Structures are given as structure tokens and as C-alpha cells.
Amino acid sequence: DRGAKGPAVAPAVAWAPLLGVAAVKASVHLALAARYGFHRDELYYLVCGRHLAWGYVDHPPVTAFVARFVETLAGPSLVALRAVPALLGAVLVVLAGLMAREMGARRWGQVLAGVAVLAAPAFLITNHLFQTVVFDQVAWAAATLLVLRLLRTGDERLWLAVGAVAGLGLLAKYTVALFGLGLVAGLVLTRRRRQLLSPWLWAGGAVALVIFLPNLLWQVAHGWPSLEFVRNNNARVAEELSAGALLGIQAAFVGVVSLPLFAAGIAFLFGRRGERFRPVGWIWLAVTALLLVLGGKPYYAAPSWPSILAAGAVLAEGVAERRAWRRLRVAVPALLLLGALPLLWVVLPVLPRETFARNQDKLPHQELHEQFGWEDLAAQVAAVHRALPEPERRRAEVMTESYGEAAALTILAPRYGLPRVTSAHNSFAFWGPPDTDVVIAVAWSDRRLRSAFGEVEEVARITNSLGIKNQSSSQTIYVCRRPLRPWPELWRELRFYV
């Protein structure tokens, strides 16, 4: 195509420095893995792993399967569980370098792309925790790398590999569908639109569908609960975030120091030099536009950022090769790393627990806050259980409003002698209601409980030893008696997906 330029043969891969940057990233996350405690989502995935299925209300099956594998090998170990995102984060660094290489970057450009991903606050936060997003990021990056190679070489057979990676990605997080929508938009809106007529592309789509089919059949069999979850979740986010706030949060997640490199990536992909690879630029642009129109969490677009940073590294390398700008070869990577250092205490558990507690109100996000208080909660619920009269203690069960408290109490139940734990929230709703007339209700609203029970007694307020403010703190523990309707009917009223 006229104006489509790109390297016929990609430069050599800078394996040694790329793997060095990846090792630094993995080491940082592993060193901090057990600094605080489990996040509520991590506990939830561990419990999901004990109920293996082809789907869950709020996520596909891969995360639960991996959690089950880790727990089988190492028990409910925080370090073992967080080794997974640490290693996947390292893989993401390497994939960023390889994407830059496909677009023409040599050694310095590849390393710069890896350093940019290492330093980005979004990936420092998410690669610390065992959550669906880390699988999502690697799936997008791997699929994008394959697309870049296809655009460079013209080898349409690569669509089969793109489809396989996308299918596996969909089994990890449904937002991989956004990658597909963005890619289609990128093909339609550029000179690569003839790829839409390729039988290899359609065969790749079929491969993705076959891999994703077990989860699709699970959704059909269970009445499409994930659609209800997504609808409720996006409606809540749309109420909380304006378009300006969404873009501002994205900029902060990329990193203020990295923004010039990000802008350079956009300039490269939408300029003449990067015309061949422009569909990848449209993936980011189309997904961001979709989030602005339909709503969605700011980090949903994050898996597209490594490709933009990689494109920026290509452009930056071209500038740094000029004699007058050669000092940039040391200064730019160093600046990216130095720019990340002041943020470490905000995005990673580097502060001592007591210091974090004193400074908790200065933190802009809650991911660190949600790693405190689970042992305190279990001890308080156990004390309420022990205080019940003997006949009630024998038949009492625990029911929490949120999956987070339910998961924590389920994991800690053997240590604290807790009875069966249930919840009507998300996938816990599938695992059944209580089967008793005495319930220890944790962190519910008083109004909802009084609509379900004849007797509702407030017995304790949830606290934690460090005074950390999170979703559980200052909530209430109740003892509820005499359900007003049969449990199957009550469960339909109480269950919610959000």
C-alpha cells in the first residue's frame, strides 16, 4: 500500500537487557508480596477455585483455575498466589519490547518500551495483585504482538494464533472483547481493511469462539448472569466518573513522566512512518472512546497502553540516534524510573503497616486498604458465634452482604472455628443460602435484614487493629432470627450482581 512503510526484517531481539528489566520488575513485586495481606478479590478467587466451573458471575474461569492450582501446590499462600502476577508482569515487559521490535525498534528502543511498562503506575498496581486484569494485560499484549507481526510481514496465517490468544484471553476476562472491537475498528478505518476479507481472519475468529465456547454455554445455562453484572457495574461507574475524570485517571495510570512517550506513540501510529501499524493505534482510541460513551472503569483500556508506549519508544529511538540528542539514551530510561520512585509508596506496599495506617487518607485508591483487617474480622465473628446460646451456636451460619467478607471468612474459618459462610453477592449466590433460622449477618444494611427476618439484633461494629478505613471497617455484625419466608424465596430477593 502507498505510504505503508515498515521493516521487512525485524531487528534482533535485545534479550539480555529486556530479560534484565523483566527480572527487576518481578523481583520488586515478589519482595513486596507478603508485606500486607490478602486483597478481598484474591480471597474470592481462592474460594472460586474451590468451586470449579466454566464460569462465574463476575469473571470467566481461568483465574479460579489458576488459584486452585496454586492452592493445591502451596495452600492459601499469599506469596505463592502473588508470584503469578509478578511473573506475568515480567512477561508484559518482554512483550512490550517485542512489540517495539516489530515496529522497527532496535536494542535501545526495545529496552525503553520495557522500562516504560515497568514504571507505569497502572502496571505497578495491578501486577502486585492476583486478579483477572493481569491475565487480561498479557492476553492483549500477546495478541497485539501477533497483529503487529502480521501487519509487518503480511502473513495472514497469524490470524489463527491471534484467535487462539483472544479465545484464551476471553476465558480470563471478558474485556478482551474490547480488543476485538478495537481491532475491527482499526482495520475498517485504515488501508488494512482488506484483511476483513481474509479467510484466515475468519478462521481465527472461529478458533476464538471454540475456545470460549465452554464459558458461553455456561452463561446460557445460568441465564447470562455476567451480563447483569456488567450492566450494573458500568452503571455505577458511569455515575461516579465524568469523561474528564476518566481521561485524567488514565493519564495518571500511564504516569506523568511517561506521557510524552505515550504521546510520541500516538504520533508514530497516526503518522506516515507508522502507517502500516495504524490499526493498533485505533485499538486504543476506539476502546477509550467506547468507555467514554458507554461507561467503564478507566483501567479497562490499560492493556492497550504497552503497544502505545512501544510505538513511542520507536519514535524516541529515532530522535536519540541523532548526534545532538544521544544523551537521551541514558537520560530517558533513567527519567522514567526516577519518575516512578515517588509513587511507589502510593501504588505498592512499601510503607510499614503502622506508617501506612497513619497516612492512609493521602492515598488515591483503595487497593492497599483492602489488604487489612481480615484476621480481625474473623476473630470478631468467631466471638459473636461463641457468645450465642449453645442450641443456637450449633445451628448458626454466617451470611455476609459482600463477596469480600464471605471469602475472607471462608478461608479463615478452620483457624477460627467458624460455621458455614454464605453470601448473596455475585458467585457466592450460586453456592446456596443458609439452611438455618439463626444467622450471623456481617456488613449488611439494617433495612435489608429487617425485610428478611423477624428479629434483627445488632451485636458488634467491625473494627481492625490499625484503624484502616476500607469496605469492611465500621460495618455492623448482627444476629438474625426467624426468617420471614422460605430460604429459596429470600435468596432470590437478597442476591445481587455488581
Side-chain angles (χ1 to χ4, degrees):
D1 296 323
R2 201 176 91 184
K5 295 182 180 180
V9 178
V13 179
W15 283 117
L18 261 184
L19 291 174
V21 176
V24 169
K25 180 170 178 61
S27 298
V28 168
H29 289 296
L30 288 171
L32 298 172
R35 185 83 167 161
Y36 295 165
F38 282 103
H39 187 279
R40 63 173 51 236
D41 290 353
E42 295 171 317
L43 294 162
Y44 178 49
Y45 296 133
L46 282 171
V47 177
C48 289
R50 298 178 181 183
H51 298 266
L52 290 181
W54 279 111
Y56 302 87
V57 169
D58 44 354
H59 59 92
V62 162
T63 311
F65 276 70
V66 175
R68 175 65 172 270
F69 177 75
V70 171
E71 187 173 19
T72 300
L73 290 181
S77 164
L78 184 57
V79 173
L81 196 66
R82 288 188 177 167
V84 175
L87 293 175
L88 290 176
V91 170
L92 190 64
V93 164
V94 174
L95 289 172
L98 294 177
M99 284 189 281
R101 175 208 179 226
E102 288 297 330
M103 290 182 279
R106 290 179 289 280
R107 184 184 182 89
W108 186 82
Q110 294 173 37
V111 174
L112 179 62
V115 170
V117 168
L118 183 155
F123 304 120
L124 288 172
I125 295 171
T126 56
N127 297 159
H128 170 64
L129 300 173
F130 182 85
Q131 294 178 319
T132 57
V133 291
V134 294
F135 299 96
D136 188 41
Q137 290 162 5
V138 170
W140 279 53
T144 303
L145 174 63
L146 290 166
V147 170
L148 288 169
R149 178 164 296 183
L150 186 154
L151 294 172
R152 178 178 65 82
T153 64
D155 185 356
E156 295 180 0
R157 294 172 298 179
L158 287 168
W159 284 123
L160 294 177
V162 173
V165 172
L168 291 171
L170 283 169
L171 289 179
K173 192 169 177 64
Y174 297 124
T175 46
V176 172
L178 295 175
F179 166 83
L181 291 173
L183 179 57
V184 170
L187 294 175
V188 169
L189 295 169
T190 65
R191 295 176 182 177
R192 308 287 88 73
R193 64 180 64 89
R194 67 177 183 80
Q195 289 289 338
L196 295 170
L197 302 177
S198 170
W200 292 104
L201 182 146
W202 292 95
V207 169
L209 180 60
V210 169
I211 293 174
F212 181 58
L213 189 60
N215 180 257
L216 193 62
L217 294 175
W218 183 90
Q219 293 288 345
V220 172
H222 292 81
W224 300 94
S226 295
L227 289 182
E228 181 180 344
F229 168 80
V230 170
R231 184 168 58 250
N232 293 340
N233 202 40
N234 284 357
R236 183 184 64 180
V237 172
E239 291 177 358
E240 295 172 353
L241 283 180
S242 64
L246 187 143
L247 292 174
I249 291 172
Q250 283 201 28
F253 279 173
V254 170
V256 174
V257 177
S258 298
L259 283 177
L261 188 67
F262 196 86
I266 297 170
F268 174 83
L269 291 169
F270 288 94
R272 183 173 178 81
R273 185 179 170 192
E275 195 275 342
R276 180 185 295 273
F277 308 110
R278 190 165 299 164
V280 169
W282 275 107
I283 293 174
W284 165 76
L285 191 58
V287 170
T288 300
L290 199 63
L291 294 178
L292 289 172
V293 173
L294 300 180
K297 296 181 179 179
Y299 66 78
Y300 284 175
S304 66
W305 300 343
S307 62
I308 306 298
L309 292 169
V314 178
L315 198 62
E317 185 177 57
V319 173
E321 286 177 343
R322 301 171 187 169
R323 184 182 298 273
W325 296 94
R326 283 184 180 173
R327 291 182 181 178
L328 292 176
R329 300 179 71 84
V330 174
V332 173
L335 184 62
L336 292 179
L337 293 175
L338 289 173
L341 288 178
L343 297 174
L344 289 183
W345 75 277
V346 176
V347 297
L348 289 174
V350 295
L351 298 178
R353 290 169 174 256
E354 294 75 11
T355 306
F356 172 83
R358 288 196 299 270
N359 292 277
Q360 60 180 301
D361 292 336
K362 300 176 183 178
L363 299 175
H365 69 89
Q366 289 287 312
E367 300 297 343
L368 295 176
H369 297 71
E370 293 302 324
Q371 299 175 43
F372 290 89
W374 302 123
E375 298 278 353
D376 298 304
L377 174 64
Q380 287 182 270
V381 174
V384 170
H385 182 238
R386 287 193 303 269
L388 292 173
E390 176 62 25
E392 291 189 341
R393 186 163 65 248
R394 285 199 303 267
R395 66 181 191 272
E397 295 184 25
V398 177
M399 183 180 72
T400 76
E401 184 172 46
S402 169
Y403 69 79
E405 288 78 18
L409 295 174
T410 298
I411 298 297
L412 295 172
R415 191 183 311 172
Y416 288 89
L418 296 174
R420 177 177 176 239
V421 180
T422 63
S423 176
H425 189 198
N426 291 352
S427 292
F428 267 95
F430 282 108
W431 305 329
D435 184 22
T436 181
D437 62 338
V438 179
V439 167
I440 301 171
V442 177
W444 281 85
S445 71
D446 180 87
R447 179 185 58 79
R448 293 192 76 195
L449 291 176
R450 293 191 184 281
S451 70
F453 293 92
E455 180 182 342
V456 176
E457 177 187 2
E458 181 178 331
V459 294
R461 301 286 288 182
I462 298 172
T463 60
N464 60 71
S465 56
L466 290 173
I468 301 294
K469 301 171 186 175
N470 54 30
Q471 291 185 44
S472 299
S473 62
S474 300
Q475 298 272 20
T476 305
I477 301 175
Y478 302 87
V479 173
C480 302
R481 302 174 177 89
R482 295 188 292 111
L484 296 177
R485 290 173 292 286
W487 270 113
E489 182 180 341
L490 275 179
W491 211 236
R492 286 192 295 271
E493 297 174 6
L494 293 174
R495 76 122 180 108
F496 64 107
Y497 303 152
V498 67

